[in-house]
Amino acid sequence: MATYSHKSIQLINSLSASERLEFQSFLDSGLYTTDPRLIKLFQVLSTTIQRNEIVDLQATFKYIEPTVAFSNQRMRDQLRRLTGLIHQFLAIKTLLKDQRALDM
């Protein structure tokens, strides 16, 4: 398996298939982000990782922002925003799991 340098890519790689579907639903809900670029970014990264391919950041950037010239800083900003959403998702999931355990 290929290794990736950005934390969001590593986090997506560590999610199980069911967790990826849950995170996709989390994004699609519109409660945590309405930015379609982040939804596209997650979809591209998830698909690429599932295929066990190396992530091409320039091609990914061109897919999520087709009218803007590639900017490494802008791409890193998008990845950072996605990392924050993944952390938020995992925190909510942990809280819900803990709450279910307390309810029992």
Side-chain angles (χ1 to χ4, degrees):
M1 181 169 282
T3 57
Y4 304 102
S5 61
H6 198 278
K7 188 168 188 136
S8 63
I9 297 170
Q10 293 170 353
L11 284 169
I12 293 169
N13 192 36
S14 71
L15 295 175
S16 68
S18 63
E19 288 174 323
R20 285 183 187 147
L21 289 174
E22 289 175 25
F23 184 66
Q24 182 66 51
S25 296
F26 174 86
L27 290 175
D28 292 341
S29 72
L31 296 173
Y32 305 97
T33 185
T34 56
D35 189 347
R37 294 173 299 184
L38 289 176
I39 296 169
K40 284 182 179 181
L41 178 59
F42 171 72
Q43 291 169 343
V44 169
L45 293 177
S46 182
T47 302
T48 304
I49 290 169
Q50 285 176 343
R51 291 182 186 157
N52 202 22
E53 298 173 353
I54 299 294
V55 176
D56 181 352
L57 293 180
Q58 287 187 1
T60 302
F61 184 83
K62 204 58 165 163
Y63 177 74
I64 64 171
E65 296 199 46
T67 60
V68 179
F70 176 76
S71 165
N72 194 37
Q73 181 61 48
R74 193 167 177 149
M75 185 66 202
R76 284 190 310 215
D77 290 344
Q78 294 291 359
L79 288 168
R80 193 174 307 114
R81 288 179 61 210
L82 184 60
T83 300
L85 285 173
I86 294 170
H87 280 276
Q88 187 176 5
F89 164 75
L90 293 172
I92 290 170
K93 188 174 175 174
T94 301
L95 285 172
L96 290 174
K97 185 178 177 182
D98 290 347
Q99 183 61 44
R100 281 187 222 121
L102 288 173
D103 289 345
M104 293 180 146

